[in-house]
Amino acid sequence: MTDSIFSKIIRGEVPAHKIYEDDFVISILDIGPLSEGHALVIPKEPAATIDTLSDEFAAAVGRVLPRITRAIQKVTGATAVNILQNNGADAGQAVDHVHFHIIPKFTGRNPGTGLMIDWTPGSLSQDEALELGKQIKRLL
Ligand code: 5GP
């Protein structure tokens, strides 16, 4: 449980540009956008990280992500989006309340804005995949 800036926004104690709200979820424009239309989708449950979020609130986020993405793309003309969830400080999470970023990308306009990803693929051996998969499946 956490009482972050997002809990204060959810309770209406701190102002934000709200673009969507239902009983489970709020969506606001990010105060420091990486590109035009950068928004956050935040479950109202005060879970710090996604591994502690209930199925109910996780499902509620999943239900609205496509709809909010469509609206942002339509309004901004974004040709693509990155959906990002920084989970834990080591992954760059700054606010300890689960949130998903919707970060628009633009072709031919606003070049260089949006999420820049440094993605360096490794490799996965058959043995490694089998063992890892087995261990993870046991917990699910
Ligand atoms: P994180 O690194 O935790 O995934 O990202 C936190 C995000 O929340 C950042 O993009 C930051 O700009 C945004 N943010 C932090 N405080 C506020 C706030 O008070 N209002 C709004 N609208 N966004 C915030």
Side-chain angles (χ1 to χ4, degrees):
M1 291 288 230
T2 174
D3 193 43
S4 67
I5 185 75
F6 293 162
S7 291
K8 292 183 173 68
I9 288 173
I10 289 164
R11 292 197 298 268
E13 295 165 10
V14 168
H17 292 284
K18 204 185 295 177
I19 57 173
Y20 177 83
E21 182 166 18
D22 64 29
D23 289 347
F24 299 92
V25 175
I26 191 175
S27 182
I28 60 174
L29 296 179
D30 195 295
I31 205 169
L34 292 187
S35 59
E36 184 190 357
H38 181 169
L40 303 171
V41 179
I42 308 166
K44 289 184 175 179
E45 184 178 33
T49 52
I50 200 161
D51 44 292
T52 61
L53 187 67
S54 69
D55 286 359
E56 186 183 28
F57 281 84
V61 169
R63 195 162 49 231
V64 297
L65 266 175
R67 208 182 326 153
I68 297 170
T69 298
R70 274 195 298 276
I72 291 171
Q73 287 201 255
K74 192 153 194 176
V75 167
T76 62
T79 48
V81 300
N82 289 102
I83 305 228
L84 174 71
Q85 201 270 317
N86 296 323
N87 202 63
D90 287 346
Q93 183 176 6
V95 178
D96 289 336
H97 184 136
V98 176
H99 54 282
F100 288 74
H101 296 257
I102 302 174
I103 309 170
K105 290 292 272 191
F106 297 87
T107 298
R109 191 161 66 86
N110 304 334
T113 69
L115 184 68
M116 306 296 168
I117 306 177
D118 183 7
W119 190 297
T120 311
S123 60
L124 180 69
S125 75
Q126 191 72 356
D127 286 351
E128 226 182 321
L130 282 171
E131 184 50 36
L132 204 54
K134 197 167 69 187
Q135 288 187 42
I136 295 169
K137 275 192 276 184
R138 229 182 267 137
L139 298 181
L140 297 174

